[in-house]
Amino acid sequence: MKVMKSKVTDKSAEGQKVDGAEGAMEKPKHKKVKKFRSKVPGVMITQYVEEIPEGKSHPDFTRKPIALTIQEGKFGVFKAIVYGEPTPKVTWNRANGKIDDPQKFQSKYDEATGEHTLEIPKVCTEDADTYKCFATNEYGKAVCTIQLNVIEVGFKKTREIAKSKEEQEALKPGSFRTMLKKRGEVHEQKPLESEEKIWEILMSADKKDYEQICAEYGITNFRGMLTKLAEMKREREVEQAQFIEHISLLKHIEVNADENATFEIDMDLKDASSRIFLYKDGIMVPYTVEMEEEMKHQLKRVGKKFIFTIKNLDPADAGLYSVDVEGVNVFSTDFKIPPVNFAVKIQEVKAEERQDAIFQCVLTAPMAEINWMGKSAPIENNDKFEITVSEDKLIHKLLVKDCQPLDAGIYAAVAGIHSCNAWLVVEVDKNPANKGKKIARKTTQAGGGDLDLEKIAKEQAEKHKKDMEERMAEAKIKAAERGVTDAAAQAEKEAADAAAKAAREASRAAEAKAKAKAEKKAAKLKDAKEKAKAKKKASGGGAAGGGAAGGGAAGAGAAGAGAEGGGVAGDGAAGGGAAGGGAAGVGAAGGGAAGGRAAGVGAAGVGAAGGGAAGVGAAGDGADGDAGSGSEYDDIVVSTDESDEEDGATKTKRVRSRQVVPDTVIDDDDEEASSEQSGKRVKRTRQGPLLKEEIVDPGVHFTLGLSDVTAIVGDPAELVCKLSKENVDGVWYLNGEEIEPDDVLTMSKDGFFQSLKISKISEDYAGKYKFEADGRKTEAMIVVEDPPRFDPEELNKFSVPIVIKKGQKATFKIPFVGRDPMKIQWYHEGEELSDDTNIKIEHGEGYSQLTLNKLQRKDTGEIKFKLKNEFGTVEAFAKIVVIDKPTPPMGPLEIIEASQNAIEVKWRSPKDDGGCKILNYILERQQIGRNTWKKLGPIGPEAHYKDSDVDHGRRYCYKIRADTEMGTSELMETEDVQAGTKAYAGPPSAPKVVSAFKDCITLTWNPPSNTGGTNILGYNMEKRKKGSNLWSPVNPADDIIKEKEFGVKDVIEGMEYEFRVAAINNSGAGEFGTPSEFVFARDPKKPPGKVIDLKVTDSTYTTLSLGWTKPREEEGVEDEAKGFFVEIRPAECPEWDRCNNNPIIMTSFTVKGMKSMAMYWVRVIATNDGGEGKPQELDNYILAMPPPVRPRFTDQKVKSFMVVQAGNSARFNMNFEASPWPDVTWMKDGMPVSKRVTISNAEGASQLLIPSSERSDTGIYTIMVKNIVGQETFSIEIRVTDEPKPPGPVEVDENVPGTVTVSWSPSPDEKRDDRLHYLVSKRDSSKRTWHTVADHIFNNKFTACNIMPGREYQFRVYAKNDMGSSQPSESPKWEITGKRERFVLDRPESKTCNLERPPKFLVPLKMHTAPQGYECYMSCAVRGDPTPHVTWYRNNISLNTNTNYLISNTCGVCSMLILRVGPKDTGEYKITAENHLGRAECSTKLTVSD
C-alpha cells in the first residue's frame, strides 16, 4: 500500500486567473487591494475596495474544507460554508489539472444547510493534488487551500502505461542527445529531512532537548532557530485558542510493559464535539474511540486527558505522530524504535521477607539503558531499587532491596518495542514465634538463576559484531559498485565532452574552409557557366555546397556567404549551405562544400546535403535529384574528397542517415577520429577494466583490542588482545615504559591472542597499558580499587547469633581492610548507634568494636555494621538474643468441663517466653472459703489441665505460673469454677441450608460457644411453616440428633419452612437458637453464574466502593441470583474474608476498615437457593488509596524569578494535587536546602520560607512532588541582593576629537553581584537636563560621541541591579573651548594638499568578560584617509553579514553590540581597517561567565 500525497505548491491553480474565481469576477485594477488573514486558520482574504459600504461585507468561510486522506476508489468530498453580502460565488480549482470533467468532479450547493461541496465519486491516484476553494463577490475574495492524499492499493496499469510512454519518448531521436548529456550526471543525494517535520518536533519538545535535536538535524543557527520557534509558537497558540481553553502535561510517546506505545495530552476543549485527527509522518491514520480491538490506533478520553495508544508494535510504527484539533496542530512526538530484543528475559523470583531480589536480562544489541516497571509504575535508581548495566551494555539488572510483602507483584523490562515481565513473590515468615516481631535483614540474595549471562552476553556481542561487519561489508560493496558506476559515467561524460569539443573545432574549421571555397567558386562560376552546368548535370542536380548557379542558392551556415542566383540559402546549426534549388537539412554543426560536394560535420553525427529537406542529419538522393524523405533509414551521398574543386569525379559512400551517437571511447586516437569523421560509425571499444583492483596486505592488525579493567587490591587481573596473525612478537608498556616479566606479572601468547596477567594486583600496577606489535598498538587502563572488605571467616564468626542473659553485656568486633578515609557506622534494628551510657564504639587500625552494656529483653534484634569509602559500601549483619524469664500465662481461662467429677481448663501461653522454651506450668488450687492453697505441682509444657480431685458443688480458684531455664514467671490467677452445678448449654448458631429437595431439606449448624461446663450430648430441632406461629419438633425427645447436620424428611413439597436447634448437655436441653432462613421444599435451583462488569467505582485510604451487574440467566444452567457476597483477601494472606455475613440484593457495596496503602484482592460471589456461583475477581489487586493522580501544580501563573532584598524574608507558596499523598522535597542548586530554610507542607500545598535572607541564599530552588504515579518538579530562581553602592570617581578624557571617554572606578558590589551594571547620563550647557546615553554597561568605560566644542558637559554614572539604582557619581565639567581667530585673507600659491594617511587605531579594543544572557558592547577608535573599510571577525570568521551582531561605525568610532551573550560567543574578536594606503588591525578576547 502506498500513499500518493498531494504536491503542495504556491503557484495558482490552472485556470484560476481566467476561468476560476477571478475570471468570474475580476478585481478592479484602479482600486487599492488589501490582503489579510481570516480569523479562520488557513484562509486568505483579498479586499478589492478600501472601504466596504454599510450592510455589505467581503466573503469569508464559516467552515473551511479539511484535508482528506482517502483510499483509492472511495467517495471523496470537500465541504465548505461561506458568508458575505452580496452572497459570494463559490468555485473550485486544483493546482495540477482541471476539474471541468462532470463525471469526475461534481460541484453542488445545499440550500437547506448552506454547504458548498466538491464531490469526487471515485477517487484515483491522479486526483492527489492541492485544491483551492474560492468565495468571491464584488468586494473581495476568500481563498482556502486543502490537500487530497490518495492511498494507492495494488498494481496500477496507468503507471505502466506512463512508464511505457516515457520509454517511447526516450527512444525518439530528439531525446537521444539529452540522454547522452545526462548519462554522466547521475549521482546519489541523501534526502534532506523535511523542514516541517523538524519544526513540529521542536514545537512540542522540551527546552533541554533543543540542542540535541539541532545537532541531529544539522541546525547551526541556534539563535535564529529560537527566534523563529518563538514566533511559530505564538502563531500556534493563537490558532489553538479558537478550539482549546487550556493545554498542559504533554507526555511524549513511551512503550509500556504490554508492548503498546502511548502518549498523553491534557487539554480542555471549548467544544466537546471538536474533531480530533491523528497523523503519522503527515498521513492521517484512523483510530477507534475507547479500548476496542478492531484497529491498531486507539484514543481513550478520561476527563480532560486524551490517551493515544498504538497496539501490536512493529518497526514500521516509527515516525512522527501529530494530533490536530479541527485542523490545528496541538502536539507532535517523534517515535524512534531501536533494533533490539531480549536474548534472555527476566525470570520469576521468589524471595523471603527482608531478602534482596534481583531481575536480570540480556539484550541482542547494546543499549545504554532500558525502562524498568514495577507494578505498572516506572522505576528509577533510589534507596529501594538499584539499576545496573554491564560494560558491554548487554546485561541489565534490577535489584530490589529489603523485600517486603508490598513489593510483591509483576515487574517488567522494556527495550525498544519489546518487553518481558515476571513475578516477584515475597514469602512471608509464617513462624508463630516471630509474629509481631521485626524480622532481621537477610544477607542473601534471591534470583539470578543458573544462566551464565556473561557467556550469553559474549555470544550476543560477537553475533552483533558479526552482523555489523556484514552490514559494513555490504555497504562497502554497494559503495564500490556506486564508485565503479560513477567512474564509468564520469569517464563516459569526459569522453563525450572531448568528442563534442573536437566536433565543434572541426565544424568551425570546415565552415571556414567551405566559406573560402564557396567564395572562390562563385567568382569562377561567373566566367565559366557552361562548365558549371556540366558539373551540375553530372552530379544529378542536387549537390549541396557553398554556392549555386542558375536559380540555385548558396549558404554558408549561420554566417555563410550567398552566391548569385535566385535561390534560397539554407542554414545549419553552425554552418553549411544549400545549392541546386533545394533547402539543406539542419545538422548539428554541418558545413557545405563547393562544386556540388557537401560535407556536414555535427557534434556527434552526420551533416546533411542534397536537394530535399531532411530531418536531423538527413538529405535527399543526389543522383536522382529528388527531395529526401528525412527518414532515419535513407541513404545519403557524402563527398570524401576535399582535395581539389576541379575534380569532377565524386566518390560516394552509403551510410545510415540517422545521427549516430558514439559510445564511450577510451583511446585518444579514436576520439580524434570520431571528431574528424563524424559521418562514420565508430566501433564500440573498451580497453581493460574501468577500475583496477589492487590487493594490499594490511599487515598485522588488531581484531580485538584491549579493554579497560577495574580490579580490587589483591585480586588477579588480565589484559587480552587478539591479532590478525598467529605468534606475533610484541612489547607491553606501562605508562610508557617497557614491562619486564616477574613473579607477579607474566606475559603469554596463544595463537592469535596476547595476554598480560597480574597474579596479585596492587596500586603500583595501576595505569595505562599498551601493547605494540608490527607498528600497531592498542591501549587500555587498569584501575585499581580498594573498597572495604571482610575476611570470609571473620564475617562468618560475626554472623553467628549471640545469646546473652538480661543485664549482661555483649561485644561485637570485626576486622576489615580498605583504603582510607572510611565511614564506619553501627546500627541496631535500622537505627544508627552512637556512644551513650550503655553503648561504646571503638575504632582501631583495621577493626571496629561495639559494646552493649546492661542489655534488656527488648534489645533483641539485628546488628548491622556498615563501611563506606570512595570505592563502595559493604555491610555485615549479626543478631543478638537477650533471654529472660517469661511473662505470666495469658487468659481468659477456657472451661472445657466443669462436672461433679472433674474440672478441665485451658489457657494461653505467655506473650513472651523470654527466649527460652517453656519447661513446665506450675499450678496451685484454692477452694473458695479456705485460706490455704494446694500445690498441684509441675504439669508439663502443655497449657491444659484436668483436675479430678473435686467435690460436687464446690467452687475452685487456680494460680498458674510458667517455668523456663531462666526462672519462673509471675502468676496468673483465674476466676472461680464450680464443679457439678446445673448449667445448660447456650444456643447453637442459626442452621444453614446445605441442600433442599421436595422431600428432604438438609441443614447444618455450629455448636454453642457456652457448653455449660460439660460435653454436648446432642441436639433437638424444631420446624415452622411460613406464616404459622406453631413450632413442631423434628426429632422425638428420646432420639436426639448426635451430629451437627440433619436431613428433615417430614416436609410438604412447595411449602416454605424455617428451623431452629437447641443443644443438650448433662444438665438438659438449653434454649433454642436463632431460626434459619426460610427455605422451599423443592428440588434445588442451579447456582447463578459470575457477576458481570465488576469494577471499582471509588476508593479512599480506608474504604473501597464496588459496582457490578447481575449475572445472566440461562435456563437449566444458571438461575437468577438472589444475593451477593463480597470477599477480600490481603496480598500477604491466602484466605478470603467475607465482608457481609448475609447476602446483599444490591449490585454495589462499600468495603470499610481497610488498611491505608495495603494491597488487597477483591471478588464477588452471586448466590441463590441453589447455592453460590463461581467468584468473579478483579483483574488486578487494588491499593487502599484514593484514585491515583499524578502530581500536578495547580497554580496557573507562577513566577519563576524572585528578587528579595537582603535582610527581608523570602516566601514562596506552591499548590499541587496528587494522590496518594506525595513526598515533597525542596532542593537548592541540586542539593538539599539548609536548616535556615523552613519548609511547611500541608494538604495540597507547600511553602518555602527564608526568615532573614542573605546573599548566600541566592540560587535556584526546586520543589519535587513525587508519589507512586509519577513526579513533577518546578524551579524558581531567588536572587537575594541589596541596593548597589555608587561607583567610584568618574574621569573624562578626550582621545579622539569629537568624542570623550568616560571611565570610573567599579562599585564595591560589582564582585558580589554578577547582574550589576552601569548607566551613564549626560548633561550639556545648552539643554541643562540629564538624559541617559548608555545603559547595561558591564565594564567601567564609555565613549560618548558628538561632543560639540564650546559646550560644557557633565556625566553621571549609576550602578544598577535587580533592586534598583545607586546614588550617582558625577564627573567634573568638561569643555572644549573654541578659539576664534581673526580672519586674514592670505592667498598663497596653490599647492596640492595630500591628507591621505593609512589606517591607525587611536583607541584599541579592551578585554571583555560578560555574564551569559546579557549584552556585550565593544568599541574602538580608528582614523585614516580615505575612510578605511572596517571588518569585524570572530575566530577569523567575518561578522559583518551576521545579523546576530549590531555593528556601527560613526566618525571613526567602531562599535559592536552582542545582544545576548552565549557560550558560543567566547573567543578572539578582531577588527581590521584598510584602505589603499595600508591596513591596521586590533584584537581582544571575550570570556562568557556562567
Side-chain angles (χ1 to χ4, degrees):
M1 186 176 70
K2 187 175 182 182
V3 177
M4 304 295 294
K5 295 194 68 175
S6 62
K7 187 175 182 181
V8 181
T9 175
D10 292 331
K11 67 180 183 179
S12 300
E14 185 177 344
Q16 176 182 329
K17 295 184 178 179
V18 178
D19 302 329
E22 294 187 32
M25 189 168 291
E26 190 175 354
K27 65 181 181 183
K29 295 183 179 179
H30 63 281
K31 297 196 178 181
K32 191 172 181 180
V33 175
K34 294 182 183 177
K35 284 191 175 183
F36 54 90
R37 293 182 182 274
S38 169
K39 293 181 180 179
V40 179
V43 177
M44 179 63 71
I45 295 176
T46 304
Q47 185 174 313
Y48 295 155
V49 297
E50 293 186 7
E51 295 184 2
I52 298 178
E54 186 177 355
K56 305 295 182 181
S57 66
H58 59 70
D60 201 352
F61 284 82
T62 302
R63 189 180 77 185
K64 70 170 187 175
I66 63 172
L68 286 179
T69 298
I70 192 169
Q71 185 175 330
E72 185 178 9
K74 299 293 184 180
F75 179 82
V77 60
F78 293 115
K79 297 181 181 180
I81 300 178
V82 300
Y83 68 91
E85 186 62 36
T87 303
K89 181 180 178 181
V90 175
T91 56
W92 303 82
N93 281 309
R94 61 183 293 186
N96 301 307
K98 296 183 179 181
I99 58 173
D100 52 2
D101 185 357
Q103 299 297 327
K104 235 180 171 187
F105 302 95
Q106 300 173 5
S107 179
K108 298 181 181 180
Y109 174 66
D110 188 348
E111 295 183 356
T113 60
E115 278 188 345
H116 295 267
T117 58
L118 176 64
E119 297 179 353
I120 309 174
K122 193 173 182 180
V123 176
C124 61
T125 55
E126 288 79 6
D127 298 331
D129 203 349
T130 300
Y131 290 78
K132 288 188 178 182
C133 180
F134 298 87
T136 316
N137 66 11
E138 60 184 289
Y139 298 108
K141 71 173 181 179
V143 184
C144 175
T145 303
I146 59 271
Q147 280 81 40
L148 173 63
N149 302 322
V150 180
I151 302 175
E152 181 182 1
V153 181
F155 177 81
K156 293 290 168 267
K157 291 184 179 179
T158 54
R159 178 161 298 172
E160 291 299 317
I161 293 172
K163 184 177 179 182
S164 177
K165 287 181 179 179
E166 290 177 1
E167 292 175 352
Q168 292 177 7
E169 189 68 25
L171 293 174
K172 288 184 178 180
S175 303
F176 214 52
R177 186 180 295 107
T178 307
M179 290 174 58
L180 180 64
K181 290 181 180 179
K182 292 183 178 179
R183 284 178 70 178
E185 300 175 359
V186 179
H187 61 278
E188 289 189 0
Q189 218 175 15
K190 183 179 178 182
L192 297 175
E193 289 289 342
S194 169
E195 184 178 353
E196 181 182 356
K197 174 181 177 180
I198 299 172
W199 287 114
E200 281 195 27
I201 294 173
L202 287 169
M203 292 271 279
S204 300
D206 296 332
K207 291 182 179 179
K208 62 182 177 63
D209 297 329
Y210 285 172
E211 187 173 351
Q212 177 185 351
I213 296 172
C214 289
E216 182 178 351
Y217 293 102
I219 299 176
T220 56
N221 188 358
F222 196 70
R223 185 185 299 275
M225 180 277 294
L226 291 176
T227 304
K228 183 175 180 181
L229 185 62
E231 181 180 352
M232 293 176 69
K233 282 188 175 181
R234 286 194 295 270
E235 292 178 359
R236 188 170 78 166
E237 288 173 358
V238 172
E239 293 178 349
Q240 290 177 351
Q242 302 177 64
F243 306 104
I244 301 172
E245 290 284 356
H246 175 70
I247 184 169
S248 62
L249 294 178
L250 306 175
K251 184 178 179 182
H252 286 271
I253 195 163
E254 291 181 353
V255 180
N256 302 329
D258 54 359
E259 296 190 4
N260 292 342
T262 61
F263 59 94
E264 302 176 6
I265 311 171
D266 278 12
M267 60 180 176
D268 187 6
L269 298 175
K270 289 186 176 180
D271 184 1
S273 62
S274 296
R275 292 172 297 177
I276 299 175
F277 303 96
L278 177 65
Y279 295 88
K280 176 181 177 289
D281 293 329
I283 300 173
M284 183 185 298
V285 294
Y287 61 84
T288 56
V289 180
E290 300 302 328
M291 302 305 289
E292 301 175 6
E293 296 297 331
E294 287 80 4
M295 304 188 71
K296 184 179 184 70
H297 301 85
Q298 298 171 343
L299 167 63
K300 182 179 180 181
R301 182 172 180 178
V302 182
K304 297 180 181 179
K305 179 177 290 187
F306 294 80
I307 305 172
F308 288 87
T309 303
I310 307 169
K311 303 194 307 179
N312 304 323
L313 293 175
D314 57 59
D317 293 323
L320 178 68
Y321 288 84
S322 303
V323 178
D324 289 12
V325 176
E326 294 291 353
V328 176
N329 180 254
V330 173
F331 177 62
S332 299
T333 179
D334 195 13
F335 186 26
K336 296 181 179 179
I337 300 177
V340 66
N341 204 338
F342 290 92
V344 177
K345 298 183 178 181
I346 61 176
Q347 304 296 325
E348 179 179 317
V349 177
K350 292 185 178 181
E352 298 179 0
E353 190 174 358
R354 300 216 67 187
Q355 188 182 22
D356 293 347
I358 188 168
F359 292 97
Q360 51 192 5
C361 60
V362 180
L363 304 182
T364 57
M367 197 169 182
E369 62 178 8
I370 64 174
N371 296 327
W372 289 94
M373 312 283 286
K375 294 181 284 191
S376 300
I379 293 176
E380 297 177 353
N381 262 320
N382 52 35
D383 295 338
K384 182 68 179 176
F385 301 101
E386 180 181 341
I387 300 173
T388 56
V389 184
S390 63
E391 291 184 4
D392 55 11
K393 298 180 182 178
L394 290 175
I395 303 176
H396 294 253
K397 298 181 180 181
L398 170 66
L399 180 66
V400 185
K401 303 177 184 176
D402 193 9
C403 291
Q404 301 292 337
L406 285 177
D407 296 327
I410 299 176
Y411 288 76
V414 181
I417 60 173
H418 300 283
S419 67
C420 56
N421 53 62
W423 272 91
L424 171 60
V425 180
V426 180
E427 298 178 349
V428 182
D429 189 359
K430 298 181 180 180
N431 188 355
N434 295 332
K435 191 172 183 179
K437 299 179 183 179
K438 187 172 182 180
I439 302 173
R441 176 74 179 275
K442 294 181 174 59
T443 57
T444 56
Q445 182 174 284
D450 300 327
L451 295 175
D452 189 353
L453 296 187
E454 296 290 344
K455 181 178 178 181
I456 297 174
K458 189 174 181 180
E459 292 174 356
Q460 288 298 323
E462 292 177 356
K463 183 178 179 182
H464 179 69
K465 182 179 178 182
K466 184 178 179 181
D467 292 342
M468 293 300 294
E469 289 175 352
E470 290 177 354
R471 293 178 187 174
M472 289 295 293
E474 291 176 2
K476 288 179 180 179
I477 292 172
K478 291 181 180 178
E481 292 175 353
R482 287 197 299 270
V484 171
T485 305
D486 293 346
Q490 182 66 23
E492 193 173 348
K493 180 177 181 297
E494 291 174 357
D497 292 344
K501 183 178 179 183
R504 288 194 296 273
E505 292 175 356
S507 176
R508 286 194 291 270
E511 181 184 351
K513 191 173 182 179
K515 183 177 180 182
K517 287 185 178 183
E519 291 176 354
K520 190 175 180 181
K521 277 288 185 183
K524 287 185 178 184
L525 284 174
K526 290 181 181 180
D527 300 330
K529 269 187 178 181
E530 294 297 331
K531 190 177 181 178
K533 289 180 180 179
K535 286 186 178 182
K536 180 178 180 183
K537 186 176 181 180
S539 61
E564 294 180 359
V568 181
D571 290 336
V586 181
R597 295 187 298 257
V601 181
V606 181
V616 180
D621 191 343
D624 298 334
D626 296 331
S629 66
S631 170
E632 62 179 357
Y633 298 102
D634 290 344
D635 297 334
I636 61 173
V637 177
V638 181
S639 174
T640 59
D641 185 9
E642 300 178 359
S643 60
D644 195 294
E645 65 274 16
E646 301 295 333
D647 189 359
T650 303
K651 297 180 181 180
T652 61
K653 185 177 182 180
R654 186 176 183 87
V655 299
R656 186 184 177 114
S657 61
R658 179 182 175 186
Q659 185 179 9
V660 180
V661 181
D663 206 327
T664 303
V665 180
I666 306 300
D667 195 344
D668 294 341
D669 296 337
D670 291 342
E671 288 187 17
E672 226 172 69
S674 175
S675 301
E676 292 177 359
Q677 301 177 8
S678 56
K680 300 180 180 179
R681 180 183 297 274
V682 180
K683 185 178 180 182
R684 180 183 182 97
T685 61
R686 172 169 294 172
Q687 298 179 358
L690 295 179
L691 292 178
K692 294 182 179 180
E693 296 184 1
E694 295 183 2
I695 301 175
V696 180
D697 184 8
V700 176
H701 60 277
F702 290 95
T703 58
L704 179 65
L706 296 177
S707 300
D708 292 343
V709 174
T710 300
I712 297 175
V713 172
D715 289 353
E718 183 178 7
L719 292 173
V720 179
C721 62
K722 184 179 180 182
L723 296 170
S724 60
K725 293 184 178 180
E726 295 185 357
N727 301 322
V728 176
D729 294 330
V731 182
W732 289 89
Y733 296 90
L734 170 59
N735 296 329
E737 297 181 2
E738 186 175 346
I739 302 175
E740 296 294 337
D742 54 25
D743 295 339
V744 178
L745 197 148
T746 58
M747 307 165 194
S748 63
K749 55 184 177 180
D750 182 11
F752 297 101
F753 293 91
Q754 298 276 350
S755 61
L756 174 71
K757 297 181 181 179
I758 305 172
S759 59
K760 188 175 183 182
I761 201 163
S762 64
E763 295 183 3
D764 296 336
Y765 294 98
K768 180 184 287 187
Y769 285 78
K770 179 175 70 175
F771 178 73
E772 187 170 339
D774 196 18
R776 305 294 180 94
K777 62 181 180 180
T778 177
E779 297 179 349
M781 294 290 297
I782 289 186
V783 179
V784 180
E785 296 183 351
D786 193 6
R789 313 182 292 286
F790 302 118
D791 181 81
E793 294 183 2
E794 295 292 340
L795 183 61
N796 290 335
K797 293 179 182 178
F798 181 80
S799 302
V800 175
I802 295 179
V803 180
I804 197 168
K805 294 182 179 181
K806 174 185 174 182
Q808 296 182 353
K809 70 176 183 178
T811 301
F812 297 88
K813 182 177 180 181
I814 183 169
F816 55 84
V817 292
R819 185 186 299 177
D820 292 330
M822 199 173 298
K823 185 177 181 181
I824 302 174
Q825 295 169 293
W826 288 90
Y827 294 87
H828 176 255
E829 285 297 301
E831 295 183 5
E832 187 173 359
L833 301 177
S834 58
D835 282 334
D836 201 352
T837 306
N838 295 325
I839 301 172
K840 185 177 181 181
I841 300 175
E842 297 179 4
H843 302 312
E845 186 67 29
Y847 76 93
S848 182
Q849 179 173 298
L850 169 68
T851 303
L852 302 175
N853 298 315
K854 298 181 180 178
L855 290 169
Q856 302 296 320
R857 173 67 180 157
K858 64 180 181 179
D859 293 327
T860 298
E862 180 187 77
I863 299 294
K864 182 175 75 171
F865 177 61
K866 183 177 180 181
L867 287 172
K868 183 178 181 181
N869 66 3
E870 60 178 313
F871 299 112
T873 304
V874 67
E875 297 177 350
F877 297 89
K879 189 173 183 180
I880 182 173
V881 179
V882 182
I883 57 177
D884 193 5
K885 64 181 182 179
T887 57
M890 299 175 62
L893 190 70
E894 181 182 350
I895 302 174
I896 299 174
E897 181 183 357
S899 63
Q900 58 185 357
N901 299 321
I903 295 177
E904 187 177 359
V905 293
K906 285 175 58 178
W907 59 91
R908 291 191 294 162
S909 302
K911 185 176 183 181
D912 181 11
D913 60 6
C916 300
K917 185 178 179 181
I918 302 286
L919 300 177
N920 280 297
Y921 286 100
I922 301 174
L923 270 70
E924 295 182 53
R925 187 188 71 183
Q926 181 190 46
Q927 182 179 325
I928 302 301
R930 296 185 180 181
N931 296 326
T932 60
W933 287 86
K934 180 181 178 182
K935 194 168 184 178
L936 301 180
I939 63 171
E942 294 295 328
H944 170 270
Y945 181 69
K946 184 173 183 179
D947 188 3
S948 302
D949 185 16
V950 295
D951 295 331
H952 180 68
R954 301 288 184 184
R955 301 176 68 85
Y956 297 91
C957 177
Y958 297 88
K959 290 181 179 179
I960 307 173
R961 294 181 177 89
D963 184 32
T964 66
E965 62 181 22
M966 290 300 298
T968 304
S969 69
E970 300 295 326
L971 62 87
M972 179 194 78
E973 188 169 344
T974 69
E975 66 272 14
D976 298 346
V977 181
Q978 188 171 1
T981 57
K982 215 170 190 180
Y984 296 100
S989 65
K992 291 184 179 181
V993 178
V994 176
S995 63
F997 297 91
K998 62 183 179 181
D999 55 357
C1000 180
I1001 298 175
T1002 303
L1003 301 104
T1004 184
W1005 58 90
N1006 293 325
S1009 56
N1010 179 17
T1011 61
T1014 60
N1015 295 328
I1016 300 297
L1017 302 178
Y1019 301 92
N1020 287 332
M1021 178 180 288
E1022 293 181 342
K1023 66 178 180 180
R1024 182 174 66 175
K1025 297 179 182 179
K1026 189 173 184 180
S1028 172
N1029 295 325
L1030 179 64
W1031 287 94
S1032 59
V1034 172
N1035 59 296
D1038 57 350
D1039 187 12
I1040 62 176
I1041 301 171
K1042 301 290 186 180
E1043 303 296 332
K1044 295 185 284 295
E1045 181 176 338
F1046 187 72
V1048 182
K1049 297 182 180 180
D1050 185 18
V1051 292
I1052 301 173
E1053 182 181 358
M1055 297 297 295
E1056 196 172 3
Y1057 295 92
E1058 61 177 341
F1059 303 89
R1060 64 182 184 182
V1061 178
I1064 303 172
N1065 62 5
N1066 293 332
S1067 300
E1071 296 180 359
F1072 282 94
T1074 306
S1076 69
E1077 295 180 352
F1078 283 98
V1079 56
F1080 282 97
R1082 61 188 179 189
D1083 288 339
K1085 287 189 173 184
K1086 297 293 183 180
K1090 291 184 179 181
V1091 300
I1092 303 171
D1093 194 21
L1094 175 62
K1095 59 186 175 182
V1096 178
T1097 58
D1098 193 14
S1099 62
T1100 66
Y1101 287 111
T1102 58
T1103 64
L1104 174 69
S1105 297
L1106 302 171
W1108 61 87
T1109 304
K1110 285 185 176 182
R1112 298 185 183 91
E1113 295 183 44
E1114 188 174 347
E1115 187 175 354
V1117 180
E1118 295 175 350
D1119 288 334
E1120 181 185 4
K1122 296 295 184 180
F1124 306 93
F1125 292 103
V1126 178
E1127 295 182 345
I1128 64 171
R1129 177 175 69 84
E1132 65 274 9
C1133 181
E1135 297 180 359
W1136 291 90
D1137 295 328
R1138 185 158 286 186
C1139 302
N1140 54 315
N1141 293 325
N1142 297 318
I1144 58 173
I1145 60 174
M1146 303 293 292
T1147 56
S1148 60
F1149 187 77
T1150 299
V1151 182
K1152 299 180 181 179
M1154 304 175 74
K1155 294 181 181 179
S1156 175
M1157 295 303 296
M1159 192 164 49
Y1160 292 91
W1161 294 94
V1162 182
R1163 69 182 185 184
V1164 175
I1165 302 173
T1167 184
N1168 61 11
D1169 295 336
E1172 295 180 357
K1174 294 182 180 180
Q1176 176 62 56
E1177 294 186 26
L1178 287 174
D1179 294 335
N1180 293 314
Y1181 63 84
I1182 57 99
L1183 291 175
M1185 53 174 278
V1189 176
R1190 182 185 177 88
R1192 183 177 73 88
F1193 297 110
T1194 57
D1195 296 321
Q1196 297 296 329
K1197 296 181 179 179
V1198 184
K1199 294 180 179 179
S1200 60
F1201 183 78
M1202 178 188 295
V1203 179
V1204 181
Q1205 188 170 5
N1208 292 349
S1209 63
R1211 188 189 309 270
F1212 181 72
N1213 294 308
M1214 203 68 194
N1215 296 318
F1216 57 85
E1217 61 179 17
S1219 177
W1221 178 250
D1223 295 328
V1224 181
T1225 307
W1226 284 88
M1227 310 286 283
K1228 175 181 179 288
D1229 296 329
M1231 302 295 291
V1233 295
S1234 64
K1235 295 182 179 180
R1236 296 183 59 256
V1237 180
T1238 302
I1239 304 299
S1240 302
N1241 295 325
E1243 185 175 356
S1246 182
Q1247 181 190 77
L1248 179 140
L1249 173 65
I1250 306 176
S1252 179
S1253 58
E1254 300 175 357
R1255 287 182 181 266
S1256 60
D1257 294 324
T1258 298
I1260 296 177
Y1261 290 81
T1262 302
I1263 178 176
M1264 181 173 68
V1265 182
K1266 181 179 181 181
N1267 63 7
I1268 62 174
V1269 183
Q1271 69 179 31
E1272 190 71 19
T1273 60
F1274 182 81
S1275 298
I1276 178 174
E1277 182 178 358
I1278 299 179
R1279 181 170 290 276
V1280 180
T1281 184
D1282 207 343
E1283 292 184 357
K1285 296 178 182 179
V1290 181
E1291 297 179 357
V1292 181
D1293 187 21
E1294 181 182 20
N1295 293 325
V1296 179
T1299 64
V1300 294
T1301 300
V1302 183
S1303 60
W1304 58 91
S1305 299
S1307 168
D1309 293 331
E1310 184 175 313
K1311 295 182 179 179
R1312 296 189 296 175
D1313 193 344
D1314 59 351
R1315 292 169 66 94
L1316 185 138
H1317 55 276
Y1318 299 97
L1319 179 144
V1320 179
S1321 61
K1322 180 182 75 172
R1323 181 178 70 176
D1324 60 28
S1325 56
S1326 63
K1327 296 183 180 178
R1328 309 304 298 173
T1329 59
W1330 294 93
H1331 67 278
T1332 302
V1333 294
D1335 199 356
H1336 293 91
I1337 300 174
F1338 286 89
N1339 55 16
N1340 305 119
K1341 284 187 179 182
F1342 173 73
T1343 301
C1345 303
N1346 301 324
I1347 303 299
M1348 306 296 294
R1351 295 184 184 177
E1352 284 187 351
Y1353 290 89
Q1354 195 171 8
F1355 296 89
R1356 284 181 176 174
V1357 181
Y1358 299 82
K1360 293 178 66 178
N1361 64 6
D1362 295 317
M1363 289 304 299
S1365 303
S1366 68
Q1367 294 296 321
S1369 295
E1370 292 191 6
S1371 70
K1373 293 183 179 180
W1374 176 268
E1375 180 180 7
I1376 303 176
T1377 306
K1379 297 181 179 179
R1380 292 187 179 182
E1381 297 180 358
R1382 183 178 179 184
F1383 179 76
V1384 177
L1385 181 60
D1386 185 9
R1387 300 185 63 183
E1389 293 181 4
S1390 178
K1391 296 181 180 179
T1392 302
C1393 182
N1394 186 3
L1395 300 178
E1396 293 184 346
R1397 63 177 70 182
K1400 180 182 178 182
F1401 283 95
L1402 301 177
V1403 179
L1405 293 170
K1406 306 296 183 184
M1407 301 292 288
H1408 290 274
T1409 300
Q1412 183 175 345
Y1414 285 77
E1415 294 181 344
C1416 180
Y1417 183 86
M1418 300 182 184
S1419 63
C1420 63
V1422 66
R1423 73 178 182 186
D1425 191 19
T1427 303
H1429 177 70
V1430 176
T1431 306
W1432 287 83
Y1433 296 87
R1434 179 174 67 83
N1435 296 334
N1436 296 322
I1437 298 174
S1438 176
L1439 302 177
N1440 282 27
T1441 59
N1442 194 327
T1443 58
N1444 294 326
Y1445 301 85
L1446 301 180
I1447 298 174
S1448 63
N1449 185 1
T1450 306
C1451 299
V1453 177
C1454 305
S1455 62
M1456 181 177 70
L1457 176 64
I1458 305 175
L1459 296 175
R1460 190 177 180 89
V1461 174
K1464 67 176 183 178
D1465 294 319
T1466 301
E1468 182 183 20
Y1469 287 77
K1470 182 172 68 176
I1471 179 172
T1472 63
E1474 58 183 349
N1475 57 18
H1476 69 278
L1477 295 176
R1479 170 188 171 100
E1481 65 180 30
C1482 179
S1483 62
T1484 184
K1485 287 189 177 180
L1486 170 62
T1487 303
V1488 180
S1489 61
D1490 294 332

